[in-house]
Amino acid sequence: MNEQLLAKTFVELADNLVADFDLIDFLRLLTDRCVGMLGASASGVLLADLDGELRVMAASDEQVRLLELFQLQNDEGPCLECFRTGAPVTVPDLSTEADRWPRFAAAAHLSGFAAVQALPMRLRDEVVGALNLFRADPGPFDPVGTPIAQALADVATISLLQQRSTHRSSVLNEQLQTALHSRVLIEQAKGKLAERQGIDMEQAFTALRSYARAHNRRLSDLARAFIDGTEPLAGLMP
């Protein structure tokens, strides 16, 4: 494991929330680092909205994003169980869970995933979501990697909740609602760019994210400008 990258990741996730904090980019960083450092094939993050309903907020690739959506639509799976119980759910071999989650297990197999680990994003008694790690091959999860993944989830959760005050819940809810709206804009921009350039959705997201970072732009602002056609955005190519 790259110890320097791990240390850098903890610092990035522990950054203070500011007015222009980009929650979508923050959570995508979390999923990307879980894949890059912990040997996961894919990773996703689910967060609860104002009504306590889980939403897909970030995914390391399009395949796992669709699987997470499938899980929510069918109301079954490890990530939902993790969120509802506030406890980790580790499944080294999904083929053994056909009775427990019949639709999810089948969908995960079709998506190329054989093992899953769902870790709660919680602070004391407050659970705000779940961090999910997927692997293509069955087998036990790394006993060293698991506590690191939980630590990453914990630090990310603390960063989300660190503006602690009597209005903490309203602050978090406002951030989540803004992020949900941003997610819709980004998905629309991904689809438009993918169609225009003849690329897949993941390549389109990478292009948008790289352009936003190179030009110090928020992803949602860039997505809106691209959808509306209000700026030339020269160089926005995968």
Side-chain angles (χ1 to χ4, degrees):
M1 183 178 297
N2 188 323
E3 294 182 358
Q4 288 186 331
L5 181 58
L6 178 61
K8 179 183 178 183
T9 300
F10 275 115
V11 170
E12 290 173 321
L13 293 178
D15 272 349
N16 292 328
L17 296 183
V18 292
D20 61 349
F21 177 74
D22 194 328
L23 181 57
I24 298 296
D25 197 46
F26 172 83
L27 294 174
R28 180 58 187 253
L29 169 69
L30 176 60
T31 62
D32 286 351
R33 293 294 168 81
C34 284
V35 173
M37 295 189 305
L38 303 178
S41 301
S43 177
V45 172
L46 306 180
L47 290 181
D49 64 12
L50 279 168
D51 299 317
E53 296 295 323
L54 283 178
R55 305 290 183 181
V56 181
M57 298 305 297
S60 60
D61 61 47
E62 188 69 11
Q63 192 77 359
V64 78
R65 186 184 75 86
L66 295 175
L67 180 60
E68 297 277 42
L69 285 172
F70 179 90
Q71 181 175 194
L72 297 180
Q73 291 164 356
N74 287 274
D75 195 34
E76 69 168 43
C79 311
L80 281 165
E81 186 173 309
C82 172
F83 174 71
R84 289 166 178 168
T85 64
V89 176
T90 300
V91 183
D93 188 351
L94 275 167
S95 66
T96 65
E97 304 296 334
D99 293 335
R100 186 179 181 184
W101 307 307
R103 289 168 292 187
F104 174 79
H109 175 72
L110 290 175
S111 298
F113 301 119
V116 62
Q117 188 171 53
L119 303 170
M121 296 183 68
R122 65 179 300 167
L123 182 62
R124 299 185 180 90
D125 295 330
E126 184 170 4
V127 182
V128 301
L131 169 65
N132 313 304
L133 309 179
F134 296 86
R135 284 213 326 256
D137 300 316
F141 281 80
D142 182 2
V144 175
T146 294
I148 290 176
Q150 184 64 69
L152 291 172
D154 291 344
V155 171
T157 304
I158 291 169
S159 289
L160 291 173
L161 297 176
Q162 68 181 345
Q163 289 188 353
R164 302 190 61 152
S165 67
T166 55
H167 302 294
R168 185 187 68 188
S169 294
S170 62
V171 170
L172 176 62
N173 286 334
E174 181 180 348
Q175 290 165 345
L176 293 183
Q177 288 304 114
T178 299
L180 285 170
H181 178 65
S182 297
R183 185 83 217 174
V184 172
L185 287 174
I186 292 166
E187 290 300 318
Q188 291 175 345
K190 280 167 56 179
K192 182 176 180 179
L193 183 60
E195 181 179 7
R196 178 174 295 181
Q197 299 295 337
I199 56 179
D200 64 34
M201 294 286 277
E202 187 61 24
Q203 290 173 315
F205 178 82
T206 298
L208 288 165
R209 188 187 192 195
S210 298
Y211 189 95
R213 289 187 168 189
H215 294 80
N216 197 27
R217 299 282 298 274
R218 287 170 56 86
L219 262 175
S220 55
D221 293 342
L222 175 64
R224 183 182 292 106
F226 179 65
I227 293 168
D228 296 342
T230 54
E231 298 179 35
L233 301 176
L236 179 55
M237 293 286 291

